[in-house]
Protein backbone atom coordinates (compact mmCIF):
# COMPACT_ATOMS: atom_id res chain seq x y z
CA UNK A 1 0.00 0.00 0.00
CA UNK A 2 2.90 2.34 0.81
CA UNK A 3 4.43 1.70 -2.66
CA UNK A 4 1.16 2.65 -4.38
CA UNK A 5 1.01 5.92 -2.39
CA UNK A 6 4.61 6.78 -3.31
CA UNK A 7 4.04 5.97 -7.00
CA UNK A 8 0.81 7.99 -7.04
CA UNK A 9 2.55 10.95 -5.39
CA UNK A 10 5.42 10.75 -7.92
CA UNK A 11 3.01 10.67 -10.86
CA UNK A 12 1.05 13.65 -9.52
CA UNK A 13 4.29 15.58 -8.99
CA UNK A 14 5.40 14.89 -12.58
CA UNK A 15 2.02 15.90 -13.99
CA UNK A 16 2.01 19.14 -12.02
CA UNK A 17 5.60 19.98 -12.97
CA UNK A 18 4.89 19.26 -16.68
CA UNK A 19 1.89 21.58 -16.55
CA UNK A 20 4.07 24.39 -15.19
CA UNK A 21 6.63 23.92 -17.99
CA UNK A 22 3.94 24.55 -20.61
CA UNK A 23 3.33 28.08 -19.31
CA UNK A 24 6.76 29.61 -18.59
CA UNK A 25 5.80 33.10 -19.80
CA UNK A 26 3.67 35.61 -17.99
CA UNK A 27 0.99 37.68 -19.69
CA UNK A 28 3.33 40.70 -19.51
CA UNK A 29 5.51 39.11 -22.20
CA UNK A 30 2.69 38.70 -24.68
CA UNK A 31 1.15 40.99 -27.25
CA UNK A 32 -1.57 40.77 -29.88
CA UNK A 33 -1.33 40.72 -33.67
CA UNK A 34 -4.37 42.13 -35.49
CA UNK A 35 -5.10 42.06 -39.22
CA UNK A 36 -8.30 43.74 -40.37
CA UNK A 37 -8.47 42.27 -43.88
CA UNK A 38 -6.59 40.92 -46.86
CA UNK A 39 -7.38 41.61 -50.48
CA UNK A 40 -5.88 40.66 -53.81
CA UNK A 41 -4.38 43.09 -56.32
CA UNK A 42 -5.34 41.31 -59.54
CA UNK A 43 -3.44 42.31 -62.66
CA UNK A 44 -4.86 39.51 -64.77
CA UNK A 45 -8.56 38.74 -64.98
CA UNK A 46 -10.17 35.32 -64.65
CA UNK A 47 -7.44 33.59 -62.69
CA UNK A 48 -8.31 31.11 -59.98
CA UNK A 49 -5.84 32.45 -57.39
CA UNK A 50 -6.61 36.06 -58.19
CA UNK A 51 -10.37 35.74 -58.07
CA UNK A 52 -10.57 37.67 -54.81
CA UNK A 53 -11.57 34.61 -52.77
CA UNK A 54 -9.14 34.77 -49.85
CA UNK A 55 -10.75 32.35 -47.34
CA UNK A 56 -8.41 29.53 -48.41
CA UNK A 57 -5.26 31.67 -48.34
CA UNK A 58 -2.67 30.30 -45.91
CA UNK A 59 -1.11 32.38 -43.12
CA UNK A 60 2.25 31.24 -41.76
CA UNK A 61 3.95 33.16 -38.94
CA UNK A 62 7.53 32.42 -37.91
CA UNK A 63 9.53 33.83 -35.01
CA UNK A 64 13.02 35.34 -35.28
CA UNK A 65 14.51 31.81 -35.10
CA UNK A 66 12.45 30.75 -38.15
CA UNK A 67 10.31 28.49 -35.95
CA UNK A 68 6.71 28.26 -37.15
CA UNK A 69 4.37 29.79 -34.56
CA UNK A 70 1.11 29.81 -36.49
CA UNK A 71 -0.22 28.05 -39.61
CA UNK A 72 -3.87 28.39 -40.62
CA UNK A 73 -6.21 29.54 -43.35
CA UNK A 74 -7.48 33.11 -43.51
CA UNK A 75 -11.00 31.80 -42.75
CA UNK A 76 -9.74 30.16 -39.53
CA UNK A 77 -7.88 33.36 -38.54
CA UNK A 78 -11.07 35.38 -39.02
CA UNK A 79 -13.04 32.83 -36.93
CA UNK A 80 -10.51 33.51 -34.14
CA UNK A 81 -11.48 37.18 -34.27
CA UNK A 82 -8.74 38.40 -36.60
CA UNK A 83 -6.34 38.58 -33.67
CA UNK A 84 -3.58 36.32 -32.42
CA UNK A 85 -1.71 36.43 -29.11
CA UNK A 86 2.06 35.99 -29.50
CA UNK A 87 5.11 36.32 -27.30
CA UNK A 88 6.82 39.70 -27.53
CA UNK A 89 9.46 39.65 -30.26
CA UNK A 90 10.12 39.88 -33.99
CA UNK A 91 8.19 37.82 -36.51
CA UNK A 92 7.80 37.24 -40.23
CA UNK A 93 4.50 36.39 -41.84
CA UNK A 94 3.62 35.04 -45.25
CA UNK A 95 0.12 34.92 -46.66
CA UNK A 96 -0.27 32.94 -49.86
CA UNK A 97 -2.93 31.53 -52.15
CA UNK A 98 -1.19 28.13 -51.90
CA UNK A 99 0.06 26.16 -48.92
CA UNK A 100 3.68 25.31 -49.74
CA UNK A 101 6.49 26.48 -51.96
CA UNK A 102 5.72 29.08 -54.58
CA UNK A 103 6.66 27.79 -58.06
CA UNK A 104 8.88 30.09 -60.11
CA UNK A 105 6.36 30.43 -62.93
CA UNK A 106 2.90 29.20 -63.77
CA UNK A 107 0.58 29.54 -66.70
CA UNK A 108 -2.77 28.50 -65.29
CA UNK A 109 -2.32 28.92 -61.52
CA UNK A 110 -0.69 32.19 -60.50
CA UNK A 111 0.16 32.52 -56.81
CA UNK A 112 -0.77 35.64 -54.90
CA UNK A 113 0.44 36.62 -51.45
CA UNK A 114 2.42 38.95 -49.24
CA UNK A 115 5.46 38.67 -46.98
CA UNK A 116 5.54 41.00 -43.99
CA UNK A 117 7.85 41.48 -40.99
CA UNK A 118 6.52 42.87 -37.74
CA UNK A 119 7.30 43.19 -34.04
CA UNK A 120 5.06 42.32 -31.11
CA UNK A 121 5.47 44.49 -28.01
CA UNK A 122 4.42 43.28 -24.56
CA UNK A 123 0.87 44.22 -23.56
CA UNK A 124 0.23 46.00 -26.86
CA UNK A 125 -1.67 45.29 -30.06
CA UNK A 126 0.26 45.40 -33.32
CA UNK A 127 -2.28 46.21 -36.01
CA UNK A 128 -1.11 45.46 -39.54
CA UNK A 129 -4.38 46.83 -40.95
CA UNK A 130 -5.51 45.81 -44.43
CA UNK A 131 -2.94 43.79 -46.38
CA UNK A 132 -2.89 43.57 -50.18
CA UNK A 133 -1.68 40.33 -51.78
CA UNK A 134 0.17 40.65 -55.08
CA UNK A 135 1.46 38.21 -57.68
CA UNK A 136 4.43 36.33 -56.12
CA UNK A 137 5.83 34.68 -59.23
CA UNK A 138 6.43 35.11 -62.92
CA UNK A 139 3.34 34.66 -65.02
CA UNK A 140 3.69 32.95 -68.36
CA UNK A 141 1.55 34.08 -71.26
CA UNK A 142 1.85 33.06 -74.89
CA UNK A 143 0.39 35.06 -77.76
CA UNK A 144 0.49 33.77 -81.34
CA UNK A 145 0.22 36.05 -84.32
CA UNK A 146 -2.27 35.28 -87.07
CA UNK A 147 0.64 34.66 -89.47
CA UNK A 148 2.12 32.02 -87.15
CA UNK A 149 -1.22 30.30 -86.62
CA UNK A 150 -1.95 30.21 -90.33
CA UNK A 151 1.49 28.69 -90.98
CA UNK A 152 0.67 25.80 -88.63
CA UNK A 153 -2.59 24.85 -90.29
Amino acid sequence: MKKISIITAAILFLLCSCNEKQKPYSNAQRGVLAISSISVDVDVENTKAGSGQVDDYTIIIKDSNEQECYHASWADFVKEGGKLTLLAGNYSMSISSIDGEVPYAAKESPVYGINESFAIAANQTTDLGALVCKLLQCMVTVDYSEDFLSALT
Side-chain angles (χ1 to χ4, degrees), residues 3-23:
K3 284 184 178 182
I4 293 175
S5 297
I6 293 172
I7 292 173
T8 304
I11 290 172
L12 287 174
F13 175 76
L14 288 174
L15 289 175
C16 291
S17 64
C18 289
N19 192 20
E20 290 299 316
K21 288 181 183 177
Q22 292 176 354
K23 299 179 182 180

Side-chain angles (χ1 to χ4, degrees), residues 40 42 44-57 97-98 107-112 135 137 139:
V40 181
V42 182
V44 179
E45 295 180 18
N46 299 323
T47 61
K48 181 181 173 189
S51 65
Q53 300 297 325
V54 296
D55 285 347
D56 292 334
Y57 277 39
S97 58
I98 64 168
K107 182 178 179 188
E108 298 294 326
S109 301
V111 178
Y112 288 83
L135 189 63
Q137 67 194 134
M139 186 160 163

Side-chain angles (χ1 to χ4, degrees), residues 21 41 61 68 84 96 108 115 148:
K21 288 181 183 177
D41 180 14
I61 298 176
E68 192 172 289
L84 179 65
S96 178
E108 298 294 326
N115 296 306
F148 178 78

